[in-house]
Amino acid sequence: MDEIVLGLITFFTSTVAGVVGLGGGMMLIAILPSFLPLNALIPVHGLTQMSSNLSRAVFGYKYVKLETIPKFLLGSICGIALFASILYFISLEFVPLFIGIYILLSLWSKKFNEKIKRYESYFLAGFFQTGLSIVVGATGPLTMTLLLKDYEDKHIVVATGAALMSITHTLKVFVFMFFGFVFFDYLGVLIAMIIGAVTGSYVGTKLRDKIEGKKFVLLLKVLLSALAVKLIIGLLW
């Protein structure tokens, strides 16, 4: 029964992500503690999100900006290698706070954007998004915020973001396999959730055409802002 429920939930969250590019993964990781033990949360979530993002990128392959991938991939490899090696020696308690503040300033402050632009890059986005992803569930907005500045086309933003996030989740899955997590123990749940994720990506891709460009950008900004505020309040509370 849990498998069917999780499959339907993943379908819904993946559809949301297929339409606006993100948010589905955050909703899913907030729901999973009701169904899975704590040690399985991030690995199962990572493999499911890898399926969701990879399928979303495949369905929108014509819009993926390939030039963003090499730098992002290099940054991701460096980031996950560093954070995986020092995971037990550092405190990441305030990372969500900094991510939330960065997103809000990046979306709404022109002065901040003028100053930060010289430092922003897909290498750094990959480094922090993928490195922090093994402990922080809200790193996707880092890349989406950058893509939203660089590209106006909603299909490019969503498809390229999905391609980059699939790199993040793929590397994360390999890290958990290296540390000994046995995905086979959750085979039934994973099959149901992967089917839901891929189906949701397809439906979300089709529904995206129903949203006009300017409304899409505003919706994405509002959703990113809401997620950022949630991060900040969640930590300070």
Side-chain angles (χ1 to χ4, degrees), residues 27-164:
M27 286 190 286
L28 185 60
I29 204 166
I31 295 169
L32 283 180
S34 301
F35 295 90
L36 297 173
L38 291 177
N39 68 307
L41 286 184
I42 297 181
V44 170
H45 178 265
L47 186 56
T48 304
Q49 288 306 107
M50 181 185 77
S51 306
S52 177
N53 283 285
L54 190 58
S55 59
R56 192 155 72 245
V58 170
F59 292 138
Y61 73 94
K62 294 183 293 186
Y63 299 99
V64 175
K65 289 294 182 181
L66 297 177
E67 62 266 25
T68 64
I69 291 178
K71 291 180 180 179
F72 185 89
L73 177 59
L74 180 59
S76 294
I77 293 171
C78 293
I80 206 160
L82 175 64
F83 282 94
S85 63
I86 64 174
L87 183 59
Y88 297 106
F89 305 103
I90 58 174
S91 173
L92 299 174
E93 181 183 357
F94 293 102
V95 166
L97 176 64
F98 295 125
I99 291 176
I101 292 172
Y102 165 78
I103 291 169
L104 290 175
L105 289 174
S106 186
L107 287 174
W108 305 108
S109 172
K110 289 184 179 179
K111 288 185 177 180
F112 178 79
N113 280 317
E114 288 172 2
K115 293 181 178 180
I116 200 69
K117 187 64 179 175
R118 71 188 72 174
Y119 303 108
E120 286 183 322
S121 70
Y122 288 98
F123 174 86
L124 287 177
F127 183 88
F128 287 109
Q129 176 173 298
T130 305
L132 292 171
S133 70
I134 55 178
V135 285
V136 180
T139 57
L142 289 173
T143 299
M144 293 302 290
T145 306
L146 185 57
L147 287 169
L148 197 58
K149 294 177 187 178
D150 289 347
Y151 304 103
E152 294 183 358
D153 189 302
K154 61 185 177 182
H155 295 291
I156 291 176
V157 172
V158 174
T160 305
L164 299 181

Side-chain angles (χ1 to χ4, degrees), residues 2 41 67 102 167-168 208 222:
D2 281 356
L41 286 184
E67 62 266 25
Y102 165 78
I167 291 173
T168 290
R208 197 185 313 137
V222 170

